[in-house]
PDB file of all heavy atoms in Angstrom:
ATOM      1  N   HIS A 159      -4.594 -24.132  -8.868  1.00 71.00           N
ATOM      2  CA  HIS A 159      -4.703 -23.344  -7.594  1.00 71.00           C
ATOM      3  C   HIS A 159      -4.335 -24.057  -6.301  1.00 71.00           C
ATOM      4  O   HIS A 159      -4.403 -23.483  -5.260  1.00 71.00           O
ATOM      5  CB  HIS A 159      -6.088 -22.746  -7.524  1.00 71.00           C
ATOM      6  CG  HIS A 159      -6.318 -21.483  -8.279  1.00 71.00           C
ATOM      7  ND1 HIS A 159      -7.240 -20.617  -8.003  1.00 71.00           N
ATOM      8  CD2 HIS A 159      -5.601 -21.068  -9.367  1.00 71.00           C
ATOM      9  CE1 HIS A 159      -7.134 -19.570  -8.841  1.00 71.00           C
ATOM     10  NE2 HIS A 159      -6.147 -19.851  -9.667  1.00 71.00           N
ATOM     11  N   THR A 177      -8.722 -19.194  -2.778  1.00 95.00           N
ATOM     12  CA  THR A 177      -7.394 -19.348  -3.462  1.00 95.00           C
ATOM     13  C   THR A 177      -6.855 -18.027  -4.004  1.00 95.00           C
ATOM     14  O   THR A 177      -5.772 -17.896  -4.388  1.00 95.00           O
ATOM     15  CB  THR A 177      -7.319 -20.372  -4.567  1.00 95.00           C
ATOM     16  OG1 THR A 177      -8.343 -19.953  -5.518  1.00 95.00           O
ATOM     17  CG2 THR A 177      -7.729 -21.795  -3.997  1.00 95.00           C
ATOM     18  N   HIS A 178      -7.792 -17.034  -4.026  1.00 96.00           N
ATOM     19  CA  HIS A 178      -7.451 -15.663  -4.511  1.00 96.00           C
ATOM     20  C   HIS A 178      -8.500 -14.689  -3.945  1.00 96.00           C
ATOM     21  O   HIS A 178      -9.531 -15.166  -3.401  1.00 96.00           O
ATOM     22  CB  HIS A 178      -7.282 -15.634  -5.986  1.00 96.00           C
ATOM     23  CG  HIS A 178      -8.449 -16.220  -6.764  1.00 96.00           C
ATOM     24  ND1 HIS A 178      -8.517 -16.335  -8.132  1.00 96.00           N
ATOM     25  CD2 HIS A 178      -9.655 -16.790  -6.369  1.00 96.00           C
ATOM     26  CE1 HIS A 178      -9.650 -16.925  -8.541  1.00 96.00           C
ATOM     27  NE2 HIS A 178     -10.315 -17.202  -7.539  1.00 96.00           N
ATOM     28  N   THR A 179      -8.322 -13.392  -4.142  1.00 98.00           N
ATOM     29  CA  THR A 179      -9.280 -12.420  -3.691  1.00 98.00           C
ATOM     30  C   THR A 179     -10.319 -12.102  -4.804  1.00 98.00           C
ATOM     31  O   THR A 179     -11.247 -11.369  -4.552  1.00 98.00           O
ATOM     32  CB  THR A 179      -8.583 -11.106  -3.237  1.00 98.00           C
ATOM     33  OG1 THR A 179      -7.543 -10.776  -4.202  1.00 98.00           O
ATOM     34  CG2 THR A 179      -7.952 -11.196  -1.919  1.00 98.00           C
ATOM     35  N   SER A 180     -10.218 -12.831  -5.986  1.00 98.00           N
ATOM     36  CA  SER A 180     -11.159 -12.603  -7.046  1.00 98.00           C
ATOM     37  C   SER A 180     -12.631 -12.797  -6.691  1.00 98.00           C
ATOM     38  O   SER A 180     -13.523 -12.157  -7.227  1.00 98.00           O
ATOM     39  CB  SER A 180     -10.723 -13.353  -8.325  1.00 98.00           C
ATOM     40  OG  SER A 180      -9.491 -13.084  -8.676  1.00 98.00           O
ATOM     41  N   GLN A 183     -14.772  -9.852  -6.147  1.00 98.00           N
ATOM     42  CA  GLN A 183     -15.375  -9.239  -7.439  1.00 98.00           C
ATOM     43  C   GLN A 183     -16.821  -9.695  -7.527  1.00 98.00           C
ATOM     44  O   GLN A 183     -17.699  -8.845  -7.753  1.00 98.00           O
ATOM     45  CB  GLN A 183     -14.644  -9.715  -8.665  1.00 98.00           C
ATOM     46  CG  GLN A 183     -13.258  -9.178  -8.964  1.00 98.00           C
ATOM     47  CD  GLN A 183     -12.857  -9.736 -10.363  1.00 98.00           C
ATOM     48  OE1 GLN A 183     -13.759  -9.998 -11.233  1.00 98.00           O
ATOM     49  NE2 GLN A 183     -11.565  -9.971 -10.480  1.00 98.00           N
ATOM     50  N   ARG A 204      -3.151 -21.253  -0.480  1.00 93.00           N
ATOM     51  CA  ARG A 204      -2.902 -22.378  -1.410  1.00 93.00           C
ATOM     52  C   ARG A 204      -1.858 -23.337  -0.818  1.00 93.00           C
ATOM     53  O   ARG A 204      -1.045 -22.994  -0.064  1.00 93.00           O
ATOM     54  CB  ARG A 204      -2.305 -21.833  -2.752  1.00 93.00           C
ATOM     55  CG  ARG A 204      -3.277 -21.073  -3.526  1.00 93.00           C
ATOM     56  CD  ARG A 204      -2.734 -20.590  -4.895  1.00 93.00           C
ATOM     57  NE  ARG A 204      -3.541 -19.459  -5.285  1.00 93.00           N
ATOM     58  CZ  ARG A 204      -3.269 -18.768  -6.400  1.00 93.00           C
ATOM     59  NH1 ARG A 204      -2.252 -19.099  -7.176  1.00 93.00           N
ATOM     60  NH2 ARG A 204      -4.047 -17.684  -6.728  1.00 93.00           N
ATOM     61  N   PHE A 215      -1.119 -16.364   2.198  1.00 95.00           N
ATOM     62  CA  PHE A 215      -0.502 -15.206   1.676  1.00 95.00           C
ATOM     63  C   PHE A 215      -1.538 -14.140   1.489  1.00 95.00           C
ATOM     64  O   PHE A 215      -2.707 -14.324   1.878  1.00 95.00           O
ATOM     65  CB  PHE A 215       0.345 -15.459   0.354  1.00 95.00           C
ATOM     66  CG  PHE A 215      -0.508 -16.129  -0.721  1.00 95.00           C
ATOM     67  CD1 PHE A 215      -0.866 -15.351  -1.813  1.00 95.00           C
ATOM     68  CD2 PHE A 215      -0.969 -17.439  -0.682  1.00 95.00           C
ATOM     69  CE1 PHE A 215      -1.644 -15.905  -2.855  1.00 95.00           C
ATOM     70  CE2 PHE A 215      -1.681 -17.951  -1.668  1.00 95.00           C
ATOM     71  CZ  PHE A 215      -2.048 -17.162  -2.792  1.00 95.00           C
ATOM     72  N   GLN A 217      -3.392 -10.973  -0.984  1.00 97.00           N
ATOM     73  CA  GLN A 217      -3.570 -10.393  -2.314  1.00 97.00           C
ATOM     74  C   GLN A 217      -4.344  -9.102  -2.243  1.00 97.00           C
ATOM     75  O   GLN A 217      -5.047  -8.863  -1.155  1.00 97.00           O
ATOM     76  CB  GLN A 217      -4.346 -11.303  -3.283  1.00 97.00           C
ATOM     77  CG  GLN A 217      -3.563 -12.525  -3.747  1.00 97.00           C
ATOM     78  CD  GLN A 217      -4.297 -13.272  -4.839  1.00 97.00           C
ATOM     79  OE1 GLN A 217      -5.544 -13.140  -4.940  1.00 97.00           O
ATOM     80  NE2 GLN A 217      -3.580 -14.098  -5.625  1.00 97.00           N
ATOM     81  N   GLU A 219      -7.207  -7.250  -4.791  1.00 98.00           N
ATOM     82  CA  GLU A 219      -7.947  -7.342  -6.019  1.00 98.00           C
ATOM     83  C   GLU A 219      -8.493  -5.959  -6.354  1.00 98.00           C
ATOM     84  O   GLU A 219      -8.833  -5.186  -5.413  1.00 98.00           O
ATOM     85  CB  GLU A 219      -9.123  -8.314  -5.738  1.00 98.00           C
ATOM     86  CG  GLU A 219      -9.914  -8.752  -6.948  1.00 98.00           C
ATOM     87  CD  GLU A 219      -9.185  -9.894  -7.615  1.00 98.00           C
ATOM     88  OE1 GLU A 219      -8.189 -10.517  -7.111  1.00 98.00           O
ATOM     89  OE2 GLU A 219      -9.554 -10.204  -8.779  1.00 98.00           O
ATOM     90  N   GLY A 220      -8.594  -5.644  -7.661  1.00 98.00           N
ATOM     91  CA  GLY A 220      -9.220  -4.414  -8.019  1.00 98.00           C
ATOM     92  C   GLY A 220     -10.352  -4.685  -9.046  1.00 98.00           C
ATOM     93  O   GLY A 220     -10.254  -5.662  -9.790  1.00 98.00           O
ATOM     94  N   PHE A 258      -6.191 -15.568 -18.088  1.00 95.00           N
ATOM     95  CA  PHE A 258      -6.860 -15.811 -16.891  1.00 95.00           C
ATOM     96  C   PHE A 258      -8.314 -16.162 -17.385  1.00 95.00           C
ATOM     97  O   PHE A 258      -8.888 -15.410 -18.286  1.00 95.00           O
ATOM     98  CB  PHE A 258      -6.942 -14.615 -15.977  1.00 95.00           C
ATOM     99  CG  PHE A 258      -5.520 -14.293 -15.448  1.00 95.00           C
ATOM    100  CD1 PHE A 258      -4.896 -13.154 -16.021  1.00 95.00           C
ATOM    101  CD2 PHE A 258      -4.916 -14.977 -14.509  1.00 95.00           C
ATOM    102  CE1 PHE A 258      -3.626 -12.770 -15.606  1.00 95.00           C
ATOM    103  CE2 PHE A 258      -3.671 -14.696 -14.047  1.00 95.00           C
ATOM    104  CZ  PHE A 258      -3.051 -13.596 -14.603  1.00 95.00           C
ATOM    105  N   PHE A 260     -11.065 -15.490 -16.050  1.00 97.00           N
ATOM    106  CA  PHE A 260     -12.063 -14.438 -15.694  1.00 97.00           C
ATOM    107  C   PHE A 260     -11.860 -13.111 -16.409  1.00 97.00           C
ATOM    108  O   PHE A 260     -12.583 -12.176 -16.237  1.00 97.00           O
ATOM    109  CB  PHE A 260     -12.175 -14.203 -14.214  1.00 97.00           C
ATOM    110  CG  PHE A 260     -10.816 -14.541 -13.470  1.00 97.00           C
ATOM    111  CD1 PHE A 260      -9.895 -13.529 -13.350  1.00 97.00           C
ATOM    112  CD2 PHE A 260     -10.593 -15.747 -13.050  1.00 97.00           C
ATOM    113  CE1 PHE A 260      -8.656 -13.703 -12.738  1.00 97.00           C
ATOM    114  CE2 PHE A 260      -9.296 -15.966 -12.376  1.00 97.00           C
ATOM    115  CZ  PHE A 260      -8.375 -14.975 -12.219  1.00 97.00           C
ATOM    116  N   THR A 261     -10.836 -13.078 -17.311  1.00 98.00           N
ATOM    117  CA  THR A 261     -10.598 -11.772 -18.056  1.00 98.00           C
ATOM    118  C   THR A 261     -10.368 -12.089 -19.538  1.00 98.00           C
ATOM    119  O   THR A 261      -9.802 -13.153 -19.895  1.00 98.00           O
ATOM    120  CB  THR A 261      -9.398 -10.931 -17.496  1.00 98.00           C
ATOM    121  OG1 THR A 261      -8.382 -11.862 -17.214  1.00 98.00           O
ATOM    122  CG2 THR A 261      -9.824 -10.239 -16.256  1.00 98.00           C
ATOM    123  N   SER A 264      -6.446 -10.774 -21.406  1.00 98.00           N
ATOM    124  CA  SER A 264      -5.677 -10.730 -20.050  1.00 98.00           C
ATOM    125  C   SER A 264      -4.219 -10.327 -20.332  1.00 98.00           C
ATOM    126  O   SER A 264      -3.671 -10.533 -21.407  1.00 98.00           O
ATOM    127  CB  SER A 264      -5.755 -12.160 -19.443  1.00 98.00           C
ATOM    128  OG  SER A 264      -7.038 -12.653 -19.310  1.00 98.00           O
ATOM    129  N   ALA A 265      -3.666  -9.857 -19.233  1.00 98.00           N
ATOM    130  CA  ALA A 265      -2.281  -9.467 -19.284  1.00 98.00           C
ATOM    131  C   ALA A 265      -1.570  -9.664 -17.957  1.00 98.00           C
ATOM    132  O   ALA A 265      -2.273  -9.659 -16.924  1.00 98.00           O
ATOM    133  CB  ALA A 265      -2.091  -8.001 -19.720  1.00 98.00           C
ATOM    134  N   LEU A 290       1.831  -8.376 -11.319  1.00 97.00           N
ATOM    135  CA  LEU A 290       0.386  -8.548 -11.098  1.00 97.00           C
ATOM    136  C   LEU A 290      -0.251  -9.087 -12.487  1.00 97.00           C
ATOM    137  O   LEU A 290       0.382  -9.089 -13.468  1.00 97.00           O
ATOM    138  CB  LEU A 290      -0.300  -7.284 -10.680  1.00 97.00           C
ATOM    139  CG  LEU A 290      -0.232  -6.021 -11.580  1.00 97.00           C
ATOM    140  CD1 LEU A 290      -1.404  -5.957 -12.641  1.00 97.00           C
ATOM    141  CD2 LEU A 290      -0.315  -4.741 -10.714  1.00 97.00           C
ATOM    142  N   GLY A 291      -1.558  -9.572 -12.266  1.00 97.00           N
ATOM    143  CA  GLY A 291      -2.270 -10.014 -13.391  1.00 97.00           C
ATOM    144  C   GLY A 291      -3.483  -9.121 -13.583  1.00 97.00           C
ATOM    145  O   GLY A 291      -3.972  -8.563 -12.562  1.00 97.00           O
ATOM    146  N   CYS A 292      -4.019  -9.007 -14.766  1.00 98.00           N
ATOM    147  CA  CYS A 292      -5.085  -8.113 -14.982  1.00 98.00           C
ATOM    148  C   CYS A 292      -5.812  -8.372 -16.305  1.00 98.00           C
ATOM    149  O   CYS A 292      -5.317  -9.239 -17.088  1.00 98.00           O
ATOM    150  CB  CYS A 292      -4.618  -6.640 -15.029  1.00 98.00           C
ATOM    151  SG  CYS A 292      -3.450  -6.323 -16.334  1.00 98.00           S
ATOM    152  N   GLY A 293      -6.897  -7.646 -16.607  1.00 98.00           N
ATOM    153  CA  GLY A 293      -7.525  -7.820 -17.860  1.00 98.00           C
ATOM    154  C   GLY A 293      -8.983  -7.249 -17.810  1.00 98.00           C
ATOM    155  O   GLY A 293      -9.320  -6.731 -16.870  1.00 98.00           O
ATOM    156  N   MET A 294      -9.618  -7.383 -19.003  1.00 98.00           N
ATOM    157  CA  MET A 294     -11.000  -6.829 -19.042  1.00 98.00           C
ATOM    158  C   MET A 294     -11.919  -7.984 -18.622  1.00 98.00           C
ATOM    159  O   MET A 294     -11.775  -9.148 -19.048  1.00 98.00           O
ATOM    160  CB  MET A 294     -11.377  -6.546 -20.480  1.00 98.00           C
ATOM    161  CG  MET A 294     -10.466  -5.390 -21.089  1.00 98.00           C
ATOM    162  SD  MET A 294     -10.354  -3.883 -20.127  1.00 98.00           S
ATOM    163  CE  MET A 294     -12.083  -3.282 -20.266  1.00 98.00           C
ATOM    164  N   PHE A 313     -12.662  -3.561 -15.999  1.00 98.00           N
ATOM    165  CA  PHE A 313     -11.383  -4.263 -15.800  1.00 98.00           C
ATOM    166  C   PHE A 313     -11.177  -4.760 -14.366  1.00 98.00           C
ATOM    167  O   PHE A 313     -11.838  -4.285 -13.437  1.00 98.00           O
ATOM    168  CB  PHE A 313     -10.171  -3.470 -16.290  1.00 98.00           C
ATOM    169  CG  PHE A 313      -9.897  -2.133 -15.501  1.00 98.00           C
ATOM    170  CD1 PHE A 313      -9.143  -2.258 -14.278  1.00 98.00           C
ATOM    171  CD2 PHE A 313     -10.255  -0.942 -15.987  1.00 98.00           C
ATOM    172  CE1 PHE A 313      -8.879  -1.132 -13.649  1.00 98.00           C
ATOM    173  CE2 PHE A 313      -9.962   0.234 -15.246  1.00 98.00           C
ATOM    174  CZ  PHE A 313      -9.268   0.170 -14.081  1.00 98.00           C
ATOM    175  N   ALA A 314     -10.205  -5.734 -14.267  1.00 98.00           N
ATOM    176  CA  ALA A 314      -9.952  -6.243 -12.992  1.00 98.00           C
ATOM    177  C   ALA A 314      -8.387  -6.506 -12.869  1.00 98.00           C
ATOM    178  O   ALA A 314      -7.792  -6.636 -13.909  1.00 98.00           O
ATOM    179  CB  ALA A 314     -10.663  -7.636 -12.689  1.00 98.00           C
ATOM    180  N   PHE A 315      -7.971  -6.539 -11.622  1.00 98.00           N
ATOM    181  CA  PHE A 315      -6.552  -6.960 -11.486  1.00 98.00           C
ATOM    182  C   PHE A 315      -6.338  -7.536 -10.117  1.00 98.00           C
ATOM    183  O   PHE A 315      -7.102  -7.431  -9.248  1.00 98.00           O
ATOM    184  CB  PHE A 315      -5.575  -5.713 -11.628  1.00 98.00           C
ATOM    185  CG  PHE A 315      -5.877  -4.581 -10.673  1.00 98.00           C
ATOM    186  CD1 PHE A 315      -5.334  -4.594  -9.414  1.00 98.00           C
ATOM    187  CD2 PHE A 315      -6.740  -3.531 -11.032  1.00 98.00           C
ATOM    188  CE1 PHE A 315      -5.548  -3.444  -8.581  1.00 98.00           C
ATOM    189  CE2 PHE A 315      -7.062  -2.519 -10.150  1.00 98.00           C
ATOM    190  CZ  PHE A 315      -6.469  -2.530  -8.860  1.00 98.00           C
ATOM    191  N   GLY A 316      -5.308  -8.318 -10.071  1.00 98.00           N
ATOM    192  CA  GLY A 316      -4.960  -8.989  -8.754  1.00 98.00           C
ATOM    193  C   GLY A 316      -3.469  -9.019  -8.576  1.00 98.00           C
ATOM    194  O   GLY A 316      -2.663  -9.245  -9.542  1.00 98.00           O
ATOM    195  N   MET A 317      -3.045  -8.734  -7.309  1.00 97.00           N
ATOM    196  CA  MET A 317      -1.638  -8.516  -7.012  1.00 97.00           C
ATOM    197  C   MET A 317      -1.264  -9.222  -5.730  1.00 97.00           C
ATOM    198  O   MET A 317      -2.011  -9.256  -4.763  1.00 97.00           O
ATOM    199  CB  MET A 317      -1.422  -6.980  -6.943  1.00 97.00           C
ATOM    200  CG  MET A 317      -0.108  -6.538  -6.785  1.00 97.00           C
ATOM    201  SD  MET A 317      -0.018  -4.779  -7.169  1.00 97.00           S
ATOM    202  CE  MET A 317      -1.393  -4.089  -6.336  1.00 97.00           C
TER     203      MET A 317
HETATM  204  N1  LIG B  18      -6.720 -14.206  -9.222  1.00 59.41           N
HETATM  205  C1  LIG B  18      -5.465 -14.209  -9.945  1.00 59.41           C
HETATM  206  C2  LIG B  18      -4.471 -15.097  -9.151  1.00 59.41           C
HETATM  207  O1  LIG B  18      -4.691 -15.302  -8.003  1.00 59.41           O
HETATM  208  C3  LIG B  18      -4.930 -12.833 -10.042  1.00 59.41           C
HETATM  209  C4  LIG B  18      -5.690 -12.041 -11.030  1.00 59.41           C
HETATM  210  C5  LIG B  18      -5.373 -11.962 -12.361  1.00 59.41           C
HETATM  211  C6  LIG B  18      -6.864 -11.293 -10.637  1.00 59.41           C
HETATM  212  C7  LIG B  18      -6.053 -11.287 -13.252  1.00 59.41           C
HETATM  213  C8  LIG B  18      -7.586 -10.563 -11.485  1.00 59.41           C
HETATM  214  C9  LIG B  18      -7.142 -10.548 -12.811  1.00 59.41           C
HETATM  215  O2  LIG B  18      -8.595  -9.883 -11.166  1.00 59.41           O
HETATM  216  O3  LIG B  18      -7.827  -9.791 -13.766  1.00 59.41           O
HETATM  217  O4  LIG B  18      -3.511 -15.518  -9.622  1.00 59.41           O
END
Side-chain angles (χ1 to χ4, degrees):
H159 276 204
T177 57
H178 49 181
T179 42
S180 303
Q183 285 186 30
R204 290 185 203 176
F215 57 106
Q217 288 189 338
E219 190 81 11
F258 298 102
F260 29 88
T261 43
S264 304
L290 60 89
C292 62
M294 300 305 294
F313 66 80
F315 57 88
M317 186 162 48

